[in-house]
Amino acid sequence: MDPYKHRPSSAFDSPFLTTNSGSPVWNHNSALTVGSRGPILLEDYHLVEKVAHFDRERIPERVVHARGASAKGFFEVTHDISHLTCADFLRAPGVQTPLIVRFSTVIHERASPETIRDPRGFAVKFYTREGNFDLVGNNFPIFFIRDGMKFPDLIHAFKPNPKSNIQEYWRVLDYFSHLPESLSTFTWLFDDVGIPQDYRHMEGFGVHTFTLINKAGRVRYVKFHWKPTCGVKCLLDDEAKRIGGDNHSHATQDLYDSIKAGNYPEWKLFIQTMDPEDEDKFDFDPLDVTKIWPEDIIPLQPVGRMVLNKTVDNFFAENEQLAFSPSVIVPGIYFSDDKMLQCRTFAYGDTQRHRLGPNYLLLPVNAPKCAHHNNHYDGFMNFMHRDEEVNYFPSRFDPVREAEKFPIPSNIITGKREKTVIEKEANFKQAGDRYRSWAPDRQERYISRWIHHLSDPRVTYEIRSIWVSYWSQADKYLGQKLASRLNVRPSI
């Protein structure tokens, strides 16, 4: 056997037990001692290795999106959008690309129930011929904040109280009472869709505005939408309590059971596109991640379908070590000036390097499936065997070259350095529009959830008044109902 071609895998299992270094183990149940009752000897290498490895089985938990489940499948292009992008995996109808998806909750720990009212992560890793593309989104099309500077504070507010380790919504309502930009996202979180029935009946969104670039270099802003073919279904509060009390992994089990039964989950991919020259024509900023693009103005365009037809082989290897980052893109897709997206392009890769190490992209689940080459050498846990003598570029001893140039946005940006907010905040209109689109019973459930949380004894009269004022500006009648039931007056 060529030792340099051997890759650790269950396929190479010995018929008998061994140490990590391959030495046979003839007794796996007893430590080496002085006599049958004597002290344990430190020279028992197998005992030391076994216990020491067990002590290190857990890697750092994700700060957010710790609770999740993954599945594998493919993406197939169904509609031609080659006039919009030069991305190879979108080059023509019929093209299929392997992928892996991770669904998750955001706030709570790795073993938390999947019935908690919380945004859900919806992250897709496409293994394309031009490298990986990570579309890292949520089940809400928008987000609470528009500037990444606020993200650590947002998560701290949602996370459990650092003193008691209990999630307490007075902290959430206190923090967001300073941020009316969050209103539209609360119309998703406190709506019925705040608790999806399971992962199969859940929408997904790229959330941010990205850019598509075609071969001629023409740029279009784009938003991505995943629509489940089996429809969107949610759990009401009492249902969530009942199901969560019976099985705190119900969504993961539903995903795996469906795939094993051949009832493969499927989503259709749609996009919205906009000419950057038109971005000033709206009463909101199209790059503001707290805003949707109205579909009656910017319609959805079909692109393809995603089918999940295989469960993961190992949960740790293909879920815990699975790592995403919005910075992982391919030619034909690029970023926009969305402030939150700009921050996430750094933050996600940084957290993976902390969690998994600098070579996390060498792990099989994260590595590209196409040929790749660079001079990123060594570092902790680098297990790639390389025998090159030249680890720099350029060199006359190495024929490797730079790839062919591909187009990226070339718009000219001018302005002064400053820390400021965007001009078109428009914090209330879309929140009110969404509330008014609901049936009366759905509106009533939404109001009841707000009454419940605003009635917390730790929520002060001032904070209640601010929230009533915010919702009054979104919808006058919503504000009046909240004010009446809470016995407060708007503060603004």
Side-chain angles (χ1 to χ4, degrees):
M1 182 182 73
D2 184 344
Y4 295 110
K5 292 184 179 179
H6 174 72
R7 294 288 294 275
S9 167
S10 297
F12 293 94
D13 277 353
S14 162
F16 52 82
L17 295 173
T18 72
T19 65
N20 280 353
S21 58
S23 179
V25 172
W26 65 270
N27 187 330
H28 193 65
N29 294 311
S30 301
L32 185 65
T33 59
V34 179
S36 63
R37 302 180 66 243
I40 290 175
L41 296 178
L42 188 60
E43 67 188 62
D44 188 349
Y45 172 76
H46 178 50
L47 170 69
V48 172
E49 178 185 78
K50 182 179 179 181
V51 175
H53 191 277
F54 174 76
D55 292 341
R56 293 162 175 80
E57 281 185 357
R58 296 295 171 263
I59 61 175
E61 183 176 284
R62 290 172 170 87
V63 177
V64 289
H65 298 277
R67 169 57 129 144
S70 304
K72 296 181 279 190
F74 66 88
F75 175 78
E76 180 180 21
V77 179
T78 57
H79 292 73
D80 185 10
I81 61 166
S82 59
H83 61 291
L84 295 173
T85 177
C86 60
D88 178 75
F89 80 104
L90 299 173
R91 62 187 179 275
V95 173
Q96 289 192 357
T97 301
L99 53 75
I100 187 168
V101 179
R102 186 174 189 270
F103 306 105
S104 58
T105 60
V106 174
I107 295 301
H108 292 278
E109 63 276 5
R110 186 158 43 196
S112 58
E114 293 177 306
T115 49
I116 293 176
R117 184 171 297 279
D118 195 19
R120 277 14 180 213
F122 194 119
V124 183
K125 185 183 293 291
F126 300 82
Y127 299 109
T128 88
R129 301 193 308 182
E130 293 182 310
N132 293 350
F133 169 47
D134 288 357
L135 183 54
V136 193
N138 287 331
N139 70 322
F140 300 165
I142 51 179
F143 199 59
F144 296 94
I145 55 173
R146 60 173 69 98
D147 194 314
M149 182 68 83
K150 302 171 185 174
F151 187 74
D153 299 288
L154 176 155
I155 297 302
H156 287 169
F158 269 114
K159 286 283 190 179
N161 186 322
K163 183 175 182 179
S164 65
N165 198 41
I166 299 172
Q167 187 187 39
E168 297 170 332
Y169 255 83
W170 66 264
R171 292 161 34 85
V172 176
L173 299 180
D174 171 37
Y175 176 69
F176 286 104
S177 69
H178 301 274
L179 302 175
E181 68 199 71
S182 66
L183 257 65
S184 284
T185 307
F186 274 106
T187 64
W188 291 79
L189 180 63
F190 281 8
D191 180 27
D192 293 348
V193 298
I195 309 179
Q197 175 177 295
D198 48 58
Y199 298 132
R200 291 186 299 124
H201 294 88
M202 187 175 79
E203 290 182 295
F205 302 90
V207 184
H208 298 286
T209 300
F210 290 83
T211 52
L212 297 178
I213 311 99
N214 65 14
K215 292 181 179 179
R218 188 173 184 182
V219 172
R220 288 288 188 275
Y221 288 147
V222 64
K223 280 185 176 286
F224 297 97
H225 301 250
W226 295 105
K227 303 292 184 183
T229 58
C230 57
V232 175
K233 295 182 180 179
C234 310
L235 297 177
L236 298 183
D237 299 83
D238 290 342
E239 293 175 309
K241 292 175 183 177
R242 176 179 55 82
I243 293 173
D246 182 62
N247 180 2
H248 78 295
S249 299
H250 82 285
T252 297
Q253 184 168 356
D254 174 82
L255 177 67
Y256 293 172
D257 288 350
S258 298
I259 294 174
K260 290 175 182 177
N263 183 23
Y264 300 139
E266 181 175 338
W267 287 260
K268 302 294 187 183
L269 178 64
F270 296 84
I271 59 174
Q272 291 174 291
T273 60
M274 179 191 301
D275 190 326
E277 294 182 359
D278 295 334
E279 63 179 297
D280 293 329
K281 296 180 179 179
F282 302 93
D283 58 1
F284 62 92
D285 188 333
L287 304 187
D288 178 359
V289 74
T290 70
K291 302 295 182 295
I292 63 167
W293 291 1
E295 293 177 15
D296 58 337
I297 301 174
I298 307 170
L300 296 177
Q301 306 173 50
V303 177
R305 68 187 186 114
M306 174 175 69
V307 178
L308 301 182
N309 57 10
K310 190 176 188 302
T311 58
V312 295
D313 298 317
N314 179 271
F315 185 83
F316 179 79
E318 296 179 296
N319 184 77
E320 290 305 297
Q321 293 193 127
L322 177 57
F324 295 89
S325 174
S327 59
V328 177
I329 57 174
V330 291
I333 301 174
Y334 207 72
F335 317 112
S336 74
D337 293 336
D338 173 345
K339 292 184 180 183
M340 271 299 299
L341 175 59
Q342 292 283 321
C343 182
R344 289 179 77 209
T345 58
F346 161 75
Y348 274 60
D350 188 54
T351 196
Q352 308 302 353
R353 294 180 189 99
H354 163 70
R355 230 173 41 88
L356 302 171
N359 289 300
Y360 75 95
L361 289 175
L362 295 181
L363 294 168
V365 73
N366 299 321
K369 308 311 174 194
C370 61
H372 55 286
H373 181 98
N374 57 50
N375 292 320
H376 301 170
Y377 269 73
D378 305 337
F380 287 110
M381 301 306 296
N382 188 324
F383 52 82
M384 179 181 289
H385 175 73
R386 304 182 71 163
D387 58 6
E388 303 99 324
E389 292 186 286
V390 175
N391 59 352
Y392 51 85
F393 178 86
S395 169
R396 291 182 174 84
F397 295 93
D398 187 345
V400 70
R401 55 179 173 77
E402 293 174 322
E404 293 183 12
K405 185 177 180 179
F406 53 86
I408 62 173
S410 57
N411 54 307
I412 298 174
I413 302 174
T414 60
K416 62 181 181 180
R417 293 185 180 94
E418 56 183 334
K419 292 195 171 191
T420 186
V421 298
I422 62 175
E423 294 180 4
K424 295 180 181 178
E425 291 195 76
N427 293 322
F428 304 103
K429 182 180 183 300
Q430 288 194 2
D433 289 344
R434 178 167 168 79
Y435 171 77
R436 287 186 292 273
S437 72
W438 297 334
D441 60 332
R442 189 170 176 179
Q443 291 181 348
E444 179 58 32
R445 289 192 294 271
Y446 181 75
I447 292 171
S448 296
R449 294 176 188 123
W450 273 102
I451 296 297
H452 171 72
H453 289 301
L454 288 170
S455 297
D456 187 307
R458 295 291 297 271
V459 177
T460 65
Y461 184 91
E462 177 189 13
I463 293 174
R464 291 190 190 104
S465 298
I466 291 171
W467 279 107
V468 170
S469 174
Y470 286 164
W471 288 118
S472 296
Q473 293 177 74
D475 183 89
K476 180 176 67 174
Y477 298 108
L478 170 58
Q480 289 176 350
K481 290 178 180 179
L482 289 172
S484 174
R485 298 190 195 184
L486 292 168
N487 194 26
V488 298
R489 301 178 63 181
S491 64
I492 302 175

